[in-house]
Amino acid sequence: DTGVSQDPRHKITKRGQNVTFRCDPISEHNRLYWYRQTLGQGPEFLTYFQNEAQLEKSRLLSDRFSAERPKGSFSTLEIQRTEQGDSAMYLCASSFWEFRDRAGGELFFGEGSRLTVL
Amino acid sequence: AQKVTQAQTEISVVEKEDVTLDCVYETRDTTYYLFWYKQPPSGELVFLIRRNSFDEQNEISGRYSWNFQKSTSSFNFTITASQVVDSAVYFCALSATGGFKTIFGAGTRLFVKA
C-alpha cells in the first residue's frame, strides 16, 4: 500500500532536546501538510508545501520549528529545544491539487508521530 | 477569518439509533469546500466526504447522509441505524480559496453502545 507514512510513530524526549519527524506522502500527491493535534482537539494547521515550496506557515509554528521538503517528495519537521508544551500528535497529510480545484482537495493522513516531552 | 464549530463534544447512542452530528462554519470566501473526516480509536483520520460551496444537494452514501445548508452555514452529518463500528471522533472541516489550508473543528466523539 502506498499511503502516507510517518516515522517515528512515537518519540519520548527530554525537554531541550531536538527531534525530527519524517513524512513520506502518497507519491502522486503534490501537496504535503503538517498538522498538530492535542488531546480532545481537532488537527491544527502548521504548514504546507506545494512540491518543494513551503507556501504557508501558521503562527503556531515558532522559530523552534522548521519544516523542509527538499526534493518535493518526503518532508521533515524538526523541533529544536523541545518544551513540554510541544507534546502532541504530529500529523502529516498529502493531497493532489490542480488549478481548477481552487479550494483544495481531500487530505490523506498518516498515522501520526506522537511526541512526549518530559 | 475561517472557523468551524462542532458544538457537540460527545454523543452516546445505542446501536441502531440514528444520530446527527452538527457542524457550523464561517468563511467570507464564496468558493470553499466542506469535509467530514472520521478518526477511529486507531487514530488515523479518514476522509468521508467533500462538498463544494456551489452544490447544496444532500448526499447519501449507505447509512451516511449529509445536509448542506448555506443559509444557515451548516453541514450536518447523519448516521442511520448506527453500529458499534461507527464509534469514533468525527471532524468537520473547511477549505477555502483564501488560504488553501483546511481548518478543522474540535470534533464530536460518538459512542455507539451495543
Side-chain angles (χ1 to χ4, degrees), chain A residues 84-116:
Chain A
Q84 288 184 325
D86 297 332
S87 295
M89 178 75 86
Y90 289 86
L91 300 171
C92 177
S94 67
S95 71
F96 181 72
W97 180 82
E98 301 176 281
F99 180 74
R100 63 185 176 89
D101 223 10
R102 289 183 297 156
E106 58 267 33
L107 302 179
F108 293 80
F109 282 87
E111 293 178 299
S113 293
R114 182 170 296 283
L115 173 65
T116 302

Side-chain angles (χ1 to χ4, degrees), chain A residues 16-118:
Chain A
Q17 299 294 304
N18 299 344
V19 297
T20 300
F21 300 115
R22 176 182 169 122
C23 171
D24 287 89
I26 293 172
S27 56
E28 313 88 74
H29 287 179
N30 52 7
R31 284 199 168 173
L32 185 148
Y33 302 77
W34 285 99
Y35 282 81
R36 180 170 67 188
Q37 186 178 24
T38 53
L39 200 62
Q41 299 298 316
E44 295 175 293
F45 171 80
L46 294 179
T47 188
Y48 90 97
F49 294 83
Q50 171 117 351
N51 300 313
E52 64 274 12
Q54 188 173 18
L55 296 186
E56 189 167 348
K57 291 170 60 172
S58 165
R59 284 171 289 178
L60 292 174
L61 218 62
S62 76
D63 292 343
R64 297 184 296 104
F65 288 71
S66 62
E68 294 183 346
R69 195 182 182 198
K71 296 181 181 179
S73 56
F74 74 92
S75 175
T76 58
L77 176 68
E78 181 183 17
I79 309 173
Q80 295 182 326
R81 304 180 305 281
T82 52
E83 302 173 356
Q84 288 184 325
D86 297 332
S87 295
M89 178 75 86
Y90 289 86
L91 300 171
C92 177
S94 67
S95 71
F96 181 72
W97 180 82
E98 301 176 281
F99 180 74
R100 63 185 176 89
D101 223 10
R102 289 183 297 156
E106 58 267 33
L107 302 179
F108 293 80
F109 282 87
E111 293 178 299
S113 293
R114 182 170 296 283
L115 173 65
T116 302
V117 182
L118 302 176

Side-chain angles (χ1 to χ4, degrees), chain B residues 17 19 23 33 82 91 97:
Chain B
E17 283 186 17
V19 58
C23 172
Y33 285 131
S82 58
F91 293 98
T97 52

Side-chain angles (χ1 to χ4, degrees), chain B residues 84-96:
Chain B
V84 172
V85 293
D86 296 326
S87 296
V89 182
Y90 291 87
F91 293 98
C92 181
L94 165 70
S95 173

